Amino acid sequence: MKKPAALPMRSRVVDDKSLALGRQRSLWQDAARRFRQNWLAVGGLIVVIVFLVLAIVGPHIAPYDFLEQNIVKAFQGPSAEHFLGTDDLGRDVFSRMLHGARTAALVAFFTTFISLVIGILVGAWSGIHGGRIDELLMWFSDLIQAMPGLLLVILINTTLRRPVINAFDQMYMQTRNPFFLNTLWLDYVLVFSALALIAWPGLARLIRGQVMSINEEDFVLAARALGASEWHIMLRHVVPNAMGPLIVAVTASMGGAVTLEAGLSFLGIGIQPPNASWGSMLEEGRRLWQVFPHLMLIPAATIGIIQVAFVFLGDGLNDALDPRRNS
Amino acid sequence: MASFLLIRLLRWTVGLFLILFVTYGMMFYGAGDPIRMMFIQGEDFDSEDEAVMLALRKKYGLDEPFIVQFGNYLNNLARGDWGRSIRLQVDRPVLEIVQFRLPISMQLGFAATAIGAVLGIGLGIIAALYHNRWLDRLIISTVLFINGIPVFVVLPMMLLLLVLQLKLIDVPYGWSGLFHIDAFLPVAAISIGILPIIVRQTRSAMLEVRSQLYVRTARAKGMPESRIILRHMLRPVLTPVVTTLGLVMISLINGSLFVEYILNTPGFGLLTIEGIKKVDYPIIMAVAVVGTLIIFVSNFLVDILYPILDPRVRAQ
């Protein structure tokens, strides 16, 4: 590329000391500063980080195996030996909660990842090209978003189960890889796919909207007038500007996936026992809740705290990343 | 205006048809054969008898190919025949089950909506009047907090607190009418789900209306504040709140699924879960029809009501 012909003359106003007093901050530093002022959001962030860390290291620091049963010690309250007590089969509740954190985090991560990939591809395409595909996407996402997500997920999850089991069986017959006999993974795969299937239209719609509105901005017009390529405009202008809303949406999507997974497992449709999920633990605790309330209280409180943390975090991010609000 | 409504109607009808088609397809290809499941789980018959299974399939029309079955279903549906339950309540007409179950959920839903709307609009107006002061912040953070907690956590927590700790009420069981004490917990739990939607919409609408010129004029005339709120602000505030009806319906369906499952209320939400767990095609299809219709009608209602309530939209 050729060098610009001449730099514009420095304006006198910029040289004015009174304007140069403040240290220059980037938009992201600005956002971080705004975020730090919101203590509810910071609290949410801390809880979410603790949750993610526990999901990664949790099963390694768990005092017991999450499947280890000991009927003699069933239904114990919290004690030094069993931090959060034991459940109906004498399994250590704390270890199971840690495993449940991994389940929840895996579901949140994969669901968001899958729906983000589909959402970016479809959303960007229809945002740039418009036309029939765009109309179809809008109609479809209208439809999906108007329907109760839980109902759709239940339906998808129930109906996918048998075909996926069959597919896994066939894969095992062909490859003899023991991975395909593992029903634990099967539950996860089902839940990710069902959740991602209903989550992607929302993300695609958001990305489409961002791509469209940023493409109309004057700075994009200027870049285009200067002869910038479409890829340059995409990477230098559209992506950084769409980042803020996308981060907010991704946070919301992760929180939503955790709730939906817990809800599904609570109804006995998502992650099946003996696999540990907070939702199925809540369901198991519900059976004898009047006698052993701690078995219901612990998963319920955990799901509640994580959800509230995600909501506060998302709200804080939304406020922090939207500079138009404060201008 | 009429053409706009017509297009919306057309879109939703296509959507309804598509959802029914996909649901039936998923049931047919994915969920498995309910007749075989009867035998495997040994509920109703003793042995796996192919002849009996064939006869049963024939009886419920499950021996036909997919397109024929789906066509038959639509045809029967159009004539008011919703089919018969296969496994849940064997041979009982689905329409009869729906007629028994749906009103229970609807009563719960209406009561919850009424409470949520009155509380939510009130809190939203108060929050906007105290904009950016501590009362506003308190309401907004509380609403955000409530919004985060799923209903299947709220209800167990309420049970633990009200039944086990404070011993205020007994564990609700079954259905004894809306005005029985047993209806308190389900209604409360469902209305907590819709409260945040209404508070937020009311607050933001109120904030917008507050700075309008005609409000300033009214104030300049010396009109008392309460009268300004009731006469000048309430209507433009309530109009956008109506548009949340779709979201409220989703929240109601969601709420009734979990609440009825937890408390064993024989409503439509419990029917949904039972039907899906038992792979009872006619029940699942009925749930899809009714659920889609609820969403469809409420969205369409918003499209019709909005121009009626807001003359500015009508003028466009």
Side-chain angles (χ1 to χ4, degrees), chain B residues 38-51:
Chain B
M38 281 182 189
F39 288 84
I40 293 172
Q41 294 176 7
E43 286 172 359
D44 309 301
F45 302 96
D46 291 313
S47 66
E48 191 167 333
D49 187 342
E50 286 294 332

Side-chain angles (χ1 to χ4, degrees), chain A:
Chain A
M1 210 160 115
K2 266 195 284 181
K3 253 184 164 180
L7 283 168
M9 287 282 286
R10 269 188 141 195
S11 133
R12 210 176 267 169
V13 183
V14 176
D15 284 338
D16 191 334
K17 287 248 166 66
S18 67
L19 276 177
L21 268 181
R23 200 166 48 85
Q24 222 189 358
R25 286 190 307 255
S26 76
L27 269 173
W28 292 103
Q29 283 168 323
D30 246 8
R33 196 174 50 96
R34 275 196 297 270
F35 186 80
R36 276 197 300 272
Q37 284 165 354
N38 185 346
W39 60 270
L40 283 177
V42 174
L45 180 67
I46 293 171
V47 173
V48 168
I49 289 175
V50 168
F51 159 60
L52 291 177
V53 168
L54 281 183
I56 295 167
V57 303
H60 301 287
I61 60 166
Y64 297 86
D65 182 35
F66 78 107
L67 290 173
E68 186 188 302
Q69 300 180 7
N70 189 348
I71 301 286
V72 186
K73 286 188 175 173
F75 294 124
Q76 283 185 353
S79 63
E81 198 182 346
H82 293 282
F83 185 48
L84 293 176
T86 56
D87 68 0
D88 54 343
L89 296 172
R91 295 174 295 194
D92 183 47
V93 173
F94 182 58
S95 307
R96 284 183 73 72
M97 287 305 290
L98 286 176
H99 245 274
R102 173 167 280 189
T103 304
L106 269 177
V107 169
F109 177 78
F110 276 106
T111 304
T112 309
F113 181 75
I114 299 171
S115 49
L116 199 61
V117 170
I118 306 178
I120 286 177
L121 290 178
V122 178
W125 207 93
S126 87
I128 294 167
H129 298 280
R132 276 284 150 75
I133 300 275
D134 184 45
E135 266 172 42
L136 200 68
L137 171 74
M138 285 303 99
W139 176 73
F140 186 66
S141 67
D142 265 347
L143 198 64
I144 293 272
Q145 282 176 331
M147 296 306 291
L150 184 80
L151 216 54
L152 291 180
V153 172
I154 290 176
L155 268 178
I156 298 170
N157 201 50
T158 325
T159 50
L160 279 183
R161 180 166 292 274
R162 266 170 43 98
V164 172
I165 289 176
N166 287 344
F168 266 50
D169 278 352
Q170 275 186 358
M171 293 293 270
Y172 176 71
M173 295 308 258
Q174 280 167 14
T175 58
R176 297 281 160 193
N177 186 341
F179 172 79
F180 293 111
L181 281 185
N182 189 340
T183 54
L184 302 189
W185 267 103
L186 196 131
D187 281 344
Y188 289 148
V189 171
L190 276 171
V191 173
F192 307 151
S193 350
L195 291 184
L197 267 175
I198 67 143
W200 74 264
L203 284 170
R205 199 187 179 118
L206 173 93
I207 289 159
R208 165 201 180 263
Q210 289 293 320
V211 168
M212 279 188 155
S213 71
I214 295 166
N215 257 330
E216 310 242 303
E217 295 279 352
D218 286 340
F219 56 81
V220 172
L221 189 70
R224 211 163 265 146
L226 287 172
S229 72
E230 284 301 313
W231 276 108
H232 176 88
I233 289 172
M234 213 60 205
L235 293 178
R236 286 302 299 269
H237 296 295
V238 176
V239 171
N241 276 297
M243 219 52 186
L246 203 59
I247 290 175
V248 176
V250 163
T251 317
S253 153
M254 288 184 71
V258 173
T259 323
L260 273 176
E261 182 271 308
L264 270 185
S265 310
F266 178 71
L267 296 176
I269 294 165
I271 310 284
Q272 308 283 330
N275 220 344
S277 149
W278 292 340
S280 57
M281 289 179 70
L282 181 57
E283 164 64 9
E284 281 162 26
R286 199 173 67 89
R287 289 178 201 150
L288 284 167
W289 67 275
Q290 277 167 302
V291 197
F292 307 105
H294 72 279
L295 289 180
M296 183 159 93
L297 178 68
I298 293 164
T302 313
I303 298 170
I305 291 168
I306 298 288
Q307 279 316 308
V308 169
F310 266 112
V311 166
F312 280 147
L313 174 64
D315 187 64
L317 284 174
N318 194 20
D319 286 349
L321 291 171
D322 192 357
R324 268 152 295 191
R325 239 177 123 112
N326 288 40
S327 59

Side-chain angles (χ1 to χ4, degrees), chain B residues 187-202:
Chain B
V187 169
I190 298 176
S191 58
I192 278 182
I194 55 180
L195 193 65
I197 306 171
I198 295 178
V199 171
R200 281 184 177 171
Q201 185 67 271
T202 311

Side-chain angles (χ1 to χ4, degrees), chain A residues 40 135 138-140 142-143 145-152 154-156 158-163 258-260 262-264 266-269 279 282-283 286 289-291 293-294 296-297 299-304 307-308 311-312 315, chain B residues 8 11-12 14-16 18-19 23 26-27 29-33 141 144-150 152-153 155-157 159-160 163-164 171 200 246 250 253-254 257-258 261-263 272-273 276-277 279 284 287-288 291-292 295 299:
Chain A
L40 283 177
E135 266 172 42
M138 285 303 99
W139 176 73
F140 186 66
D142 265 347
L143 198 64
Q145 282 176 331
M147 296 306 291
L150 184 80
L151 216 54
L152 291 180
I154 290 176
L155 268 178
I156 298 170
T158 325
T159 50
L160 279 183
R161 180 166 292 274
R162 266 170 43 98
V258 173
T259 323
L260 273 176
L264 270 185
F266 178 71
L267 296 176
I269 294 165
L282 181 57
E283 164 64 9
R286 199 173 67 89
W289 67 275
Q290 277 167 302
V291 197
H294 72 279
M296 183 159 93
L297 178 68
T302 313
I303 298 170
Q307 279 316 308
V308 169
V311 166
F312 280 147
D315 187 64
Chain B
R8 298 292 290 219
R11 278 188 160 197
W12 279 105
V14 174
L16 175 69
L18 191 77
I19 284 174
T23 313
M26 292 200 309
M27 288 298 122
Y29 290 109
D33 182 354
S141 345
L144 207 57
F145 181 80
I146 290 174
N147 193 27
I149 307 180
F152 54 91
V153 171
L155 192 56
M157 288 299 196
L159 282 173
L160 286 176
V163 180
L164 207 60
V171 186
R200 281 184 177 171
I250 292 180
I253 291 176
N254 207 348
L257 272 177
F258 284 111
Y261 180 67
I262 296 174
L263 298 178
T272 308
I273 297 164
I276 284 177
K277 282 193 171 169
V279 199
I284 298 175
V287 166
T292 319
I295 297 295
N299 277 291

